Amino acid sequence: MARIAATAIAAAAFFVRVSLGVDNGLARTPQMGWNNWNAFACDVSEELILGAADKLVSLGFRDLGYTYVLLDDCWSAGRSENGSLQHNTTRFPNGMADVADQIHSRGMRFGMYSDAGSLTCGKYAGSLGHEDVDAKTFASWGVDYLKYDNCFNEGQSGTPLITYNRYKKMSVALNSTGRPILYSMCNWGEDYPWKWAETVANSWRISGDIGDSFQRPDARCPCGPDEGYNCDLAGFHCSAMNILGKVTSFVDKGIPGAWNDLDMLEVGNGGMTDSEYVVHFSMWAAVKSPLIMGNDIRSLSPSSFSILANPAVIAISQDPLSTSAVRRWRYPVEDVDEYGQGDIQLWSGQLAYGDYVVALLNTGNNARIMNATLVDIFRDEGPGGKPNSAQAWDVYDLWADRMSDDTANLILNSNGTALQNGTVSLPYNATKLSYADGLAKNTTALLGKYTTTIQPQGTLKANVTGHGIGFYRLRPHLGSQKRDEL
Amino acid sequence: MARIAATAIAAAAFFVRVSLGVDNGLARTPQMGWNNWNAFACDVSEELILGAADKLVSLGFRDLGYTYVLLDDCWSAGRSENGSLQHNTTRFPNGMADVADQIHSRGMRFGMYSDAGSLTCGKYAGSLGHEDVDAKTFASWGVDYLKYDNCFNEGQSGTPLITYNRYKKMSVALNSTGRPILYSMCNWGEDYPWKWAETVANSWRISGDIGDSFQRPDARCPCGPDEGYNCDLAGFHCSAMNILGKVTSFVDKGIPGAWNDLDMLEVGNGGMTDSEYVVHFSMWAAVKSPLIMGNDIRSLSPSSFSILANPAVIAISQDPLSTSAVRRWRYPVEDVDEYGQGDIQLWSGQLAYGDYVVALLNTGNNARIMNATLVDIFRDEGPGGKPNSAQAWDVYDLWADRMSDDTANLILNSNGTALQNGTVSLPYNATKLSYADGLAKNTTALLGKYTTTIQPQGTLKANVTGHGIGFYRLRPHLGSQKRDEL
Amino acid sequence: MARIAATAIAAAAFFVRVSLGVDNGLARTPQMGWNNWNAFACDVSEELILGAADKLVSLGFRDLGYTYVLLDDCWSAGRSENGSLQHNTTRFPNGMADVADQIHSRGMRFGMYSDAGSLTCGKYAGSLGHEDVDAKTFASWGVDYLKYDNCFNEGQSGTPLITYNRYKKMSVALNSTGRPILYSMCNWGEDYPWKWAETVANSWRISGDIGDSFQRPDARCPCGPDEGYNCDLAGFHCSAMNILGKVTSFVDKGIPGAWNDLDMLEVGNGGMTDSEYVVHFSMWAAVKSPLIMGNDIRSLSPSSFSILANPAVIAISQDPLSTSAVRRWRYPVEDVDEYGQGDIQLWSGQLAYGDYVVALLNTGNNARIMNATLVDIFRDEGPGGKPNSAQAWDVYDLWADRMSDDTANLILNSNGTALQNGTVSLPYNATKLSYADGLAKNTTALLGKYTTTIQPQGTLKANVTGHGIGFYRLRPHLGSQKRDEL
Amino acid sequence: MARIAATAIAAAAFFVRVSLGVDNGLARTPQMGWNNWNAFACDVSEELILGAADKLVSLGFRDLGYTYVLLDDCWSAGRSENGSLQHNTTRFPNGMADVADQIHSRGMRFGMYSDAGSLTCGKYAGSLGHEDVDAKTFASWGVDYLKYDNCFNEGQSGTPLITYNRYKKMSVALNSTGRPILYSMCNWGEDYPWKWAETVANSWRISGDIGDSFQRPDARCPCGPDEGYNCDLAGFHCSAMNILGKVTSFVDKGIPGAWNDLDMLEVGNGGMTDSEYVVHFSMWAAVKSPLIMGNDIRSLSPSSFSILANPAVIAISQDPLSTSAVRRWRYPVEDVDEYGQGDIQLWSGQLAYGDYVVALLNTGNNARIMNATLVDIFRDEGPGGKPNSAQAWDVYDLWADRMSDDTANLILNSNGTALQNGTVSLPYNATKLSYADGLAKNTTALLGKYTTTIQPQGTLKANVTGHGIGFYRLRPHLGSQKRDEL
C-alpha cells in the first residue's frame, strides 16, 4: 500500500503515538526563513547575517513566519588541531555563538551549513567522518538548523543504503546533542531520498540547485521536469518549473516533520517577471516545500515584498493538514516560448477544515481562459469527485488581496517603521496567532478574497496570464448558513 | 535458458520432487479473498472484519473460492514493553486470536498486515528488525496470511540483494513458526522481485497501488504501462490498464506458489464502468494475479456481484496448469479517450486439459470488430501456430452466462438467504468441488457458453465494446466425437 | 583506452605470455556443437543425446566442427544425501559417465547444464552454494562443457560485482578440478557480463532466450535491438534480429577464449524462412557467437542442412584472427513488415591473412540493390578507409557454393552413408584440416565463390532479397600475381 | 548547493587553505602533452618515445606547454618473480628509468600507463591488487604521470563506491611514494567519476575512447551526445562532437587539479577536415580538457601544426581562472550531414582578468551567419546578463592570427632549426613566461586579433563555416582608456 495521507490516519491519532519525520519535533509545517546563498554566495559575514536578521524583523517577515536565519557555506576557517570546526574570525569576529545569541534575541532561529563530504562545496572542511564532533560544535554554538550538503562525498553514493547511512550519521549526531536542530538534507535528490529520508531528516532537496529562471532549460541541469524520480545528474541552474515538474510524481512523500525541498526561493533576484515569481511562490507553498527566501533582503522591490508577504498563500504552505496539492492534468499549448516550453496544468489538494487549494497554472506565453471541473479538482475524493463535486463551492482568490505597491513601498522605504508606528499594518502576524489557529478562526487575511461560487458539478473558470497562475482556496458553500454555525 | 512453463516440466514431475515457490505449500493457484484497504483504509475494526467475513459466506463468495479475509494496516497499538506487537483494543476488543477463530469457524482464513520497515505506511510500528517475534505473534494468533509492506524501509533498497535479504528475513521467520502462512510481499515491484521473489514469497506486488480508474494517467504513478520492468518510482493511483501493461513483459514469472500480484480488485468501488470492471477482473484472472476483492462487501451492486461471482472467469485464474496468458499483439487506435489512451490487444494462453484462453481487449473508445487468427493465438506452439492452428476450435464465451441482475439482486437483497433456501443457486461451489476437479469433469459453469467453431487456420472474430473485452475459452473441436469419449 | 583487437597486439605476442579468457585453453575460436533445448526442452534421455551424437557424426557435422554434444536442463534427480548431484536413472539408465564415454568414443565432447541458483530453470537442484562438489561431479563424469544458467538466483544480482562473484565461484571450481571444462555463462546479459566475464568464462549470453522468429517483437522480450547494453529485463522469445541488434555496441568484447553468446541456433526449427535462417547463421558467424545447433537433428530438411554445413560461412566464425564484424551503417526502409520492422545494414570486419568479411543485410520486405563503398567497409583502417579503400578487392560470395538440395537429400536420406561411401563428399573436413590451416592454405571450400572485383574507391553492389543477406569474403586483388607468390 | 566556480570562492582564498583535486599540487591547469596511443597503439619502443620527445622540443611544442611525454600500453613484459612490473627489454633496451632520465633532460616529464584490472587492455599484467608495489616501481623509474585504465576489472564496478575504492587505492599508493605523479583516471566515465573523482585523481575520462571522426555515429559508441551523464556502455570510436556533447551537463566539475578528460586529441590523424580539427581543438580548450596530442609527431602537416601551436587557443585552456565554458543554447539545423547530424551551439565562459571566451559552433553542413546576444553570452552573470550585457565588448578572434602554412612548413621541414636559428619564431614560449603571466601582461599572442566592438545589449555576429567554429575572446571595451591604465 502506498503511504497514506495525513487525513487517512487522523482517526488513528487517538490510539497510538505516531512517530513522524526525524522525530525531533521540528518542521511540523514546512520551515520558513532566509538564506544568504542565492544572493550572496560565499560573500558572508557577521554583518551580513545580522543585518538580514534585523531586516527580517523590521520588515515584518519574522512575524509572517520566516523565522530561520540561515548562514550557508564559507563561514569556516577549517578544522582546528583539536578536531573541531572553527569559524572565520575575520568574517565573524564575535564568533558564531554570538551570532546565534543575537539572532535568538530577535526572536528568530539560527541555521548553519556543513557537508556530508570531505570538503564543503566551497572547499572548506566537510563533516564526513566528523559528524559527532561537528554536531556538538553546532549545538554548543546554539545552532537551530543544519543544511547538510553533498559535495566531495568520496564516492559514497549510488544506492539508497549508502547515502542513507552517510546522512543518518549526522542525524543521529544531531539528535544526540539534546538540542533540537532542524536537519535539512541537501543531497540534490540523489538516490531517491523521498523513498527513505523521512525517518532521517526534516527535509531533503529533490533536485539540483535552482537558478533564477522560470523555465529556461540549462545544459547544466540535464534532467527534464518529468525526470525528477529517475535523474542521474542533479546538476544546477535548474529552473523553477523544472524543479516543480520533478516533484510532481512524489508530492505525497512530504509529511509533517519531513518535507520535499524544492530549494530556496528566487523571488526578488530579478531573473523572472512578477507573474513568474507569483507562480514560483504559490507552487512552492502548494507542494509544501520549505519557504526559504534567497534574496538580498536589503534591497527588495515592492512587488517582491508583496509576494513574499502574502499571508493567504503562506497559509497554504503552513496549513495544518499538511497535504500537498497534486497535479490533476497537464496539456501542451501552442504558444510556447523561445525554448519550446509551454503547457497548462491543474493542481489541487486538500486543506484543513474542509477547504481545498486549486492552482490553474499557465506556462504558455499568452493569457487564456482556463477551466477546472469540480470532477477534476476532487479526483481523489471518490468516483466522479463525489461527494465533493456534487456540492457548491465558494472561490477565494489568494492573490486578490495582495499588498499594494504603495503600501509595500511605505514599509520598505521606512525600513519597517511604517509598520511599527501603525501607518500601515502587516497583513498577518503569526507570532501572535499561528497559521493553524488563524485558519481555525477563519481569519480573513488567510483566506483570500471571495470571488464567486461554483455550482455542483460546475467548473472553475479563470483568465490566467501567460507565465501566470490562478491560485484559489475553495470553501464549501454554506448557503444561508454562516460557517461558524456549523 | 528462460524459466520454463509448468507444461514443459510436466514429464519431470514423475521423477523428482519439484520445489516450488516459497515452499510452504500455499497458493498453488493465485490466492482469492477480500481486503479492507481499498474501501476502508485505516477505518478498521473487529466489527468490520467479521461483518465482511459473514458477508463473504452468506453471499456465496467463500464457496466461489474467496477464502482469505484480510485485515490491512492500522490494527496496531504499537509494540509492547516485551517487544511484541499489540492490537488496538478499542477497535478489536476481543483480540486478534478471537478474530482469527471466528473467521476459521466460518471456513475461511485470516490475514494480517505488517511492514518491512521501521513503521507501517500508516505509521504504526513496523517489523523491520523484529521479524522473528512478529512472525511468532502472528502465528500465535492463528494468522494464515501476511501482507508485508514497504514503507519507511530505512534505505534498505536499491539492489535486488538488499531487498531480497530484507524480505527473506520475514519469510524465514514465518516458516520457522511451523504454521503455514501465505506470504504476500508488497514492495511495489522495487528491485525487480519477479527476478528473485519466487523462492521467498507466495506473491509479490509488481507496481504501485492501484487506483479505481481504468486507464487515466495520474502524476503520482509516473511509470507508463510499458515501463513495468524498469520503473524507478512505483507511486500509487495507478490505473488498472497501467498495471496490466506493467506485468506484460514478465507474466511468465508467476508459477504455482509464487505469483505476480497486480494489486487488489477495484470492482465495486465505482470508479469504472461495468465494462471496464469486466476487463479488470478478466485480465487479473488471465495473468494469474491474486484475486483479492477491495470493495465494501456490504453494499455491492448487482453488476459488481455478477462480475466477481463469475465462475467461468475464476476458473481461468484457478486453472491447474497455472500458466499466464501472454499478449500476442497490440495496435494503437484512433478513438482514444481524453487522456490520449486507446489500443487493441490480443492475449492468449494455455489452460489445463488442452484448452486455451483468449482475450480480445479494446481500450479504445468505440466498439469494434476484432479479429484474432489462430496463428497468432497459438504463437508459442510452433511455427505458424502449428499444430494447433491447423485444427478446429470451439469458442466458449466466458461472460455469456454472467448472472442476471435479477438473480444478483435476489441474492444481495436477501443477504444470501435466497441462496440458502434454494430460490436461486450459486453458479459454482468450489468448497464442494475444486476448480481443478470441476474442470477435469467439464463442469458447464466453468467453461462458458459455446458460441461458434473456428475452422483450421481460421480467425476468431468478435464485436468488442469500447473499454471492453471479448473473453473466451477455446476448446479443441471434436467433430462428431463427444469430449468424454476421448 | 578501449580494449584492443587481436590484430593490434599481434606484435606483442612475441614478447609476453598473453592470458586470454578464462585461461583454460578452450574456445580459442567460438565453440560449435548441438544442444537439445530449443527442440526438445525437458524431454531428455540417454537415447536422445546419444542418437544426436550419432547423427552429428554420420551427417558430417562433427567433421565440420560441431564437436560439442550438449545436454541441457532436466537430466537431474536432485542432490543425494552425500550432497552430490544425481542423474535421473530412468532417463539415463547407464549414467552420465557412460554418456560421456560414448560421446568421447565418437570423437566428440560432452556438455552438461547447471544453474547459479538454488534451482535450475526446470526446478531441479541448482549449484549455488555447491559449486565445488558439483564441479567435481561433472569432472568425474568426464564432462567437457558446462552451461551455467541464472534462474532462482536468490537475489544475487544487481551490480556487476555481485554477479561476477556468483559466477566466478563455479569458474574457480571448474578450474580446480584439473579437467579443462568449457564454461558457458548463461546469465542472459544481466549486469553487463561483456564488461567483466572474459576473465571468468569462455562465453556469456548477452540476451534473453532466442525464439524461433526473424524479427517479430514479443512482449516477453521487452528490450529492443538497440537496448542490448542497458536492458533491465532479458526476457525470452527474443527474435534473431533483436539479439543481433543487442550485441552491436559491444561486438569487440569477444576475444579468443571468451565470446559473446547470442544463444543457440534456430536453424531447422521452422519458424523462419530459408532466407531468414541464412541471415541468422551468417550473422552468428560474423559476430563470433558460439554456433550451437538447437534443432531436431533427426529430421533436418535439406535446406537447413545446407545452411549449417556451409564451410565458407563457418570459416568466418572460426577465423584465426577472431575479430567480430562491426555494423558500419543502418538505415530505415519503407517496406517494413506487419510489425513495423525493416532496415538495411552494412557490417564488415577483418579476417586473418588480410581478408575481410562483408554483410549486406536487408531486413525489409522487398529485394533491393544494396551498395557498400570501400570507404565504409574499411572505416576502421584509417581516414577514408585508406589504405585498403585505395586498392582493388576480389569479392567471394559465401553462399554461392551452398550445397544443393539434391546433395543434401542424398546425405540426409542415407543417414550419411552417401558420405561414407563417397557418393557425395562433405564440403570440408575440419577434423583433418583445421579451419585456420585450411584458410592458411587457401582451401577453396572455405573462401566462397569469386564473383567480381571492386576497383579502388569502388562500391560493392548486390541484389539482396527481402529478409536476406549478401555475405562476402573480400580478398586483396592481386592482379597478375598469384596469391601464393606473395 | 552546487559546487561553486573558482570565481565564487576567490574571496575565500585569503582566509583558508583550500584543498583542491587530488592534492598533489599538479595539473593546476589542464595537463598538456603527447601520447603514442592514437597513432601507434601497441607499436611502442624507446626509439619511438624518445624520438617523439625530441620532436616535441625541436618543433617548439614543449615551449608551447606540451610538457608530458606519455607512453601508453604494451611496454610491459609482465610481473617478475619478486612481484614488480618489468619492462619489455627488446623494446626498451635501456630500461624505463633511462627513458625517464632522457625525457627529463629535455625539460619534459614522463608518463606511463597501467590498468585498474587484472590485465591491461592490451592484456599485459594489470595493477589491481598490486597498487603499492607498482606505484613504487613507477616512482623509482622517475615517472611523473600515470594513465590508469579500466580493462579486465574483475567486475569491480557498478556503483560509485566500488569504482572509487578501486581507483583510490592507486591514488593513495602514488601519493605514498613521495613523488608527485599526475594521476590520470581512465575509467571511461563509468560510475560517474565527475561526482567523486576530484579528491582522487587529477583528471578522469568522461567517455569511451575517441575515434578520429567529427560527428559520425558509430555502433560501438552507443550513447548519444546527450547521454554523457547516464551512459551504460562507454564504448569506443566516439566522435569528437559525441564526446563534447557528453561533457556538456557537467562542465563545472572540472576544477584546478581535477579535470574532465575528453580523451586525447586526434588533430593530425587525418580523419577530419582542417575546419573540424579547429573545432575539436578549440572546444577541448574551452571546456578545460587535458590537451594531449595523439598524432604521429614525426609527420605533421602544416595545418595540423598550426592548430596545435596556436597560443591564443592554448591560453583559453590554461587560463588561470580555470572555469569551463558552458553551452548557452543549441538549435537543430536542416543542413544535416549523411548521418542526420547538424546543429548550432553557443558556448561562453568566464576567463581571468574579466575576459570571456565565446564559441559559435556550427555542426551543420553549410556556412551560416551566427548571432550571439550579450544577454545569452552573459547568462550566468545576472538577470538579462547584467551588468556585463550593458557594457561594450571588444572581440578578439582566436584563430585570425593562426600561423601560415609557409611558416609551419619552414618549421616542420627544418625539424625546428628554423625556430632555433630565428628564421621564424615560435608564437609563444610558455617555458619563459607562463600562460597566466602572459595573460596578466596582455601578451598579444595570447589574446587573438581584435576584430570589432559589440555595443551594450548588442550581438556578436560571425560567418561560421560548415563544421566550423567562431572562437573569440571578449574583453571589456575601454573606450579611450588604455587597458594598462586601469
Side-chain angles (χ1 to χ4, degrees), chain A residues 1-201:
Chain A
M1 146 201 350
R3 206 162 310 153
I4 56 177
T7 44
I9 59 158
F14 300 102
F15 300 109
V16 298
R17 178 170 170 285
V18 178
S19 174
L20 296 168
V22 70
D23 217 7
N24 56 14
L26 302 173
R28 296 300 101 184
T29 54
Q31 64 262 35
M32 298 175 63
W34 177 90
N35 175 301
N36 66 274
W37 183 258
N38 284 9
F40 299 92
C42 269
D43 191 12
V44 294
S45 68
E46 186 177 303
E47 189 183 3
L48 176 77
I49 297 302
L50 295 179
D54 284 340
K55 279 283 187 185
L56 291 163
V57 175
S58 65
L59 299 179
F61 281 121
R62 179 197 63 193
D63 291 340
L64 282 161
Y66 297 91
T67 52
Y68 284 102
V69 184
L70 306 178
L71 168 60
D72 214 286
D73 201 358
C74 307
W75 57 264
S76 173
R79 202 167 287 286
S80 73
E81 289 190 358
N82 71 11
S84 61
L85 289 172
Q86 301 177 105
H87 67 279
N88 180 312
T89 54
T90 307
R91 296 178 165 198
F92 298 90
N94 295 297
M96 306 318 298
D98 180 74
V99 171
D101 285 349
Q102 301 248 12
I103 288 172
H104 293 155
S105 74
R106 285 157 177 80
M108 304 184 79
R109 289 176 281 183
F110 177 47
M112 288 186 73
Y113 166 99
S114 192
D115 186 286
S118 52
L119 298 173
T120 70
C121 295
K123 306 191 184 68
Y124 295 84
S127 292
L128 185 65
H130 306 272
E131 291 84 358
D132 285 334
V133 62
D134 290 357
K136 281 178 191 155
T137 298
F138 292 131
S140 76
W141 286 343
V143 167
D144 306 300
Y145 184 117
L146 181 68
K147 174 178 175 179
Y148 201 46
D149 217 332
N150 193 32
C151 285
F152 300 99
N153 63 32
E154 305 292 334
Q156 293 192 25
S157 73
T159 68
L161 196 51
I162 293 170
T163 299
Y164 168 90
N165 285 336
R166 180 159 54 94
Y167 277 91
K168 187 180 183 182
K169 277 189 192 122
M170 183 54 88
S171 180
V172 171
L174 291 173
N175 280 351
S176 300
T177 65
R179 182 177 180 85
I181 299 177
L182 194 155
Y183 183 36
S184 165
M185 256 180 65
C186 178
N187 88 323
W188 322 320
E190 288 190 357
D191 295 323
Y192 320 111
W194 44 88
K195 291 191 178 180
W196 49 263
E198 70 273 279
T199 53
V200 172

Side-chain angles (χ1 to χ4, degrees), chain A residues 37 42 72-74 76-78 88 90-91 113 118-119 121-124 147 149 151-159 162 186 188 190 205 209 212 216 218-220 222-223 227 232-233 235-237 269-271 338-339, chain D residues 1-6 8-9 11-13 15-21 158-162 164-165 168 192 194-196 198-200 229-231 248-253 255-256 326-328 331 376 379-380 383-384:
Chain A
W37 183 258
C42 269
D72 214 286
D73 201 358
C74 307
S76 173
N88 180 312
T90 307
R91 296 178 165 198
Y113 166 99
S118 52
L119 298 173
C121 295
K123 306 191 184 68
Y124 295 84
K147 174 178 175 179
D149 217 332
C151 285
F152 300 99
N153 63 32
E154 305 292 334
Q156 293 192 25
S157 73
T159 68
I162 293 170
C186 178
W188 322 320
E190 288 190 357
R205 286 275 304 285
D209 275 20
D212 187 12
R216 189 182 64 240
D218 190 292
R220 293 161 294 183
C223 300
E227 299 172 308
D232 280 331
L233 183 65
F236 63 133
H237 287 275
N269 287 331
E338 58 181 310
Y339 314 108
Chain D
M1 148 199 348
R3 203 161 314 152
I4 55 177
I9 59 159
F15 300 109
V16 298
R17 179 172 169 282
V18 178
S19 174
L20 296 169
T159 68
L161 195 51
I162 292 170
Y164 168 90
N165 286 336
K168 186 179 183 182
Y192 320 111
W194 44 87
K195 292 191 180 180
W196 48 263
E198 70 273 279
T199 52
V200 172
Y229 66 97
N230 59 357
C231 178
T248 304
S249 56
F250 49 85
V251 286
D252 58 295
K253 299 301 188 180
I255 56 174
V326 172
R327 195 172 70 200
R328 304 300 171 181
Y331 295 100
D376 282 336
R379 271 288 177 208
D380 282 357

Side-chain angles (χ1 to χ4, degrees), chain A residues 102-389:
Chain A
Q102 301 248 12
I103 288 172
H104 293 155
S105 74
R106 285 157 177 80
M108 304 184 79
R109 289 176 281 183
F110 177 47
M112 288 186 73
Y113 166 99
S114 192
D115 186 286
S118 52
L119 298 173
T120 70
C121 295
K123 306 191 184 68
Y124 295 84
S127 292
L128 185 65
H130 306 272
E131 291 84 358
D132 285 334
V133 62
D134 290 357
K136 281 178 191 155
T137 298
F138 292 131
S140 76
W141 286 343
V143 167
D144 306 300
Y145 184 117
L146 181 68
K147 174 178 175 179
Y148 201 46
D149 217 332
N150 193 32
C151 285
F152 300 99
N153 63 32
E154 305 292 334
Q156 293 192 25
S157 73
T159 68
L161 196 51
I162 293 170
T163 299
Y164 168 90
N165 285 336
R166 180 159 54 94
Y167 277 91
K168 187 180 183 182
K169 277 189 192 122
M170 183 54 88
S171 180
V172 171
L174 291 173
N175 280 351
S176 300
T177 65
R179 182 177 180 85
I181 299 177
L182 194 155
Y183 183 36
S184 165
M185 256 180 65
C186 178
N187 88 323
W188 322 320
E190 288 190 357
D191 295 323
Y192 320 111
W194 44 88
K195 291 191 178 180
W196 49 263
E198 70 273 279
T199 53
V200 172
N202 292 107
S203 64
W204 51 87
R205 286 275 304 285
I206 61 103
S207 72
D209 275 20
I210 193 170
D212 187 12
S213 153
F214 185 63
Q215 60 184 0
R216 189 182 64 240
D218 190 292
R220 293 161 294 183
C221 177
C223 300
D226 291 340
E227 299 172 308
Y229 66 97
N230 59 357
C231 178
D232 280 331
L233 183 65
F236 63 133
H237 287 275
C238 300
S239 73
M241 291 302 96
N242 175 283
I243 296 176
L244 177 67
K246 281 173 173 163
V247 83
T248 304
S249 57
F250 48 87
V251 286
D252 58 295
K253 299 301 188 181
I255 56 174
W259 305 103
N260 288 309
D261 180 357
L262 279 67
D263 204 1
M264 299 176 289
L265 296 164
E266 293 284 2
V267 179
N269 287 331
M272 304 189 216
T273 65
D274 181 70
S275 175
E276 292 170 342
Y277 279 138
V278 166
V279 173
H280 174 27
F281 189 65
S282 301
M283 292 309 302
W284 260 233
V287 301
K288 307 298 192 242
S289 172
L291 297 178
I292 308 293
M293 291 190 273
N295 48 33
D296 182 350
I297 193 79
R298 304 167 308 192
S299 59
L300 276 186
S301 68
S303 64
S304 295
F305 183 79
S306 65
I307 289 172
L308 297 164
N310 184 338
V313 171
I314 298 173
I316 302 299
S317 164
Q318 303 294 309
D319 184 88
L321 189 64
S322 294
T323 298
S324 171
V326 171
R327 194 173 68 199
R328 304 300 171 181
W329 49 247
R330 175 180 51 163
Y331 296 100
V333 296
E334 296 196 356
D335 48 312
V336 296
D337 64 18
E338 58 181 310
Y339 314 108
Q341 310 285 307
D343 59 22
I344 53 173
Q345 304 180 22
L346 169 66
W347 293 69
S348 68
Q350 199 175 358
L351 301 173
Y353 311 114
D355 290 0
Y356 283 78
V357 62
V358 176
L360 292 166
L361 177 54
N362 175 17
T363 75
N365 272 348
N366 303 335
R368 52 171 41 83
I369 304 294
M370 290 182 66
N371 302 284
T373 65
L374 293 185
V375 170
D376 282 336
I377 289 169
F378 298 117
R379 271 290 175 206
D380 282 356
E381 303 314 310
K386 292 182 186 170
N388 286 359
S389 62

Side-chain angles (χ1 to χ4, degrees), chain B residues 116-406:
Chain B
S118 52
L119 297 172
T120 71
C121 296
K123 306 192 184 68
Y124 295 84
S127 292
L128 185 65
H130 306 271
E131 291 83 357
D132 284 334
V133 61
D134 290 357
K136 282 177 191 156
T137 298
F138 292 131
S140 75
W141 286 343
V143 167
D144 306 301
Y145 184 119
L146 181 68
K147 174 178 175 179
Y148 201 47
D149 217 332
N150 192 32
C151 286
F152 299 99
N153 62 32
E154 304 291 334
Q156 294 192 24
S157 73
T159 68
L161 196 51
I162 293 170
T163 299
Y164 169 90
N165 286 337
R166 181 160 52 95
Y167 276 91
K168 187 179 182 182
K169 278 190 191 119
M170 183 54 89
S171 179
V172 170
L174 291 173
N175 279 352
S176 301
T177 66
R179 182 177 180 87
I181 299 178
L182 194 155
Y183 183 36
S184 165
M185 256 180 66
C186 178
N187 89 322
W188 322 319
E190 287 190 357
D191 295 323
Y192 320 111
W194 43 88
K195 291 191 180 181
W196 49 262
E198 71 273 279
T199 52
V200 171
N202 293 107
S203 64
W204 52 89
R205 287 274 304 284
I206 60 104
S207 73
D209 275 22
I210 194 170
D212 188 13
S213 154
F214 185 62
Q215 61 183 1
R216 190 182 62 241
D218 191 291
R220 294 161 293 184
C221 178
C223 300
D226 292 340
E227 299 172 309
Y229 65 97
N230 58 357
C231 179
D232 280 329
L233 183 65
F236 63 134
H237 287 274
C238 300
S239 73
M241 290 303 96
N242 176 282
I243 296 175
L244 177 66
K246 281 173 172 164
V247 83
T248 304
S249 56
F250 49 87
V251 286
D252 58 294
K253 300 299 188 182
I255 56 174
W259 304 104
N260 287 309
D261 180 356
L262 279 66
D263 205 1
M264 298 177 289
L265 296 164
E266 292 284 2
V267 179
N269 287 333
M272 303 188 217
T273 66
D274 181 69
S275 176
E276 291 170 342
Y277 279 138
V278 166
V279 173
H280 174 28
F281 189 66
S282 299
M283 292 310 302
W284 261 232
V287 301
K288 307 298 192 244
S289 173
L291 297 178
I292 308 294
M293 291 190 273
N295 49 33
D296 181 351
I297 194 78
R298 304 167 309 193
S299 59
L300 275 185
S301 68
S303 65
S304 294
F305 182 79
S306 64
I307 289 172
L308 297 164
N310 184 340
V313 171
I314 298 173
I316 301 299
S317 163
Q318 303 293 308
D319 183 89
L321 189 64
S322 294
T323 298
S324 171
V326 172
R327 196 173 68 199
R328 305 300 172 182
W329 48 248
R330 175 180 51 162
Y331 296 100
V333 295
E334 296 196 356
D335 49 311
V336 296
D337 64 17
E338 58 181 310
Y339 314 108
Q341 310 286 307
D343 59 23
I344 53 173
Q345 304 179 23
L346 169 66
W347 293 69
S348 68
Q350 198 176 358
L351 300 172
Y353 311 113
D355 290 0
Y356 283 78
V357 62
V358 176
L360 292 166
L361 178 53
N362 175 17
T363 75
N365 272 348
N366 303 334
R368 53 172 39 84
I369 304 294
M370 290 182 66
N371 302 284
T373 65
L374 293 185
V375 170
D376 283 336
I377 289 169
F378 298 118
R379 272 288 176 207
D380 283 356
E381 303 315 309
K386 291 180 186 171
N388 286 0
S389 62
Q391 69 174 86
W393 292 83
D394 293 338
V395 179
Y396 289 74
D397 186 328
L398 297 170
W399 285 103
D401 288 334
R402 177 175 175 181
M403 182 187 291
S404 72
D405 277 2
D406 286 349

Side-chain angles (χ1 to χ4, degrees), chain C residues 172-230:
Chain C
V172 170
L174 291 172
N175 279 351
S176 300
T177 66
R179 182 177 180 86
I181 299 178
L182 194 156
Y183 183 37
S184 164
M185 257 180 64
C186 178
N187 88 322
W188 322 319
E190 288 190 359
D191 294 323
Y192 320 111
W194 44 88
K195 291 190 181 180
W196 48 262
E198 70 273 280
T199 52
V200 172
N202 293 107
S203 65
W204 53 87
R205 286 275 303 283
I206 61 104
S207 73
D209 276 20
I210 194 168
D212 187 13
S213 154
F214 184 62
Q215 61 184 359
R216 190 182 63 241
D218 190 292
R220 294 161 294 184
C221 177
C223 299
D226 292 339
E227 300 172 307
Y229 66 97
N230 58 357

Side-chain angles (χ1 to χ4, degrees), chain B residues 20-29 31 68 109 144-145 179-183 202 255-259:
Chain B
L20 297 169
V22 70
D23 216 6
N24 56 12
L26 302 173
R28 296 300 101 184
T29 54
Q31 64 262 34
Y68 284 101
R109 289 176 280 184
D144 306 301
Y145 184 119
R179 182 177 180 87
I181 299 178
L182 194 155
Y183 183 36
N202 293 107
I255 56 174
W259 304 104

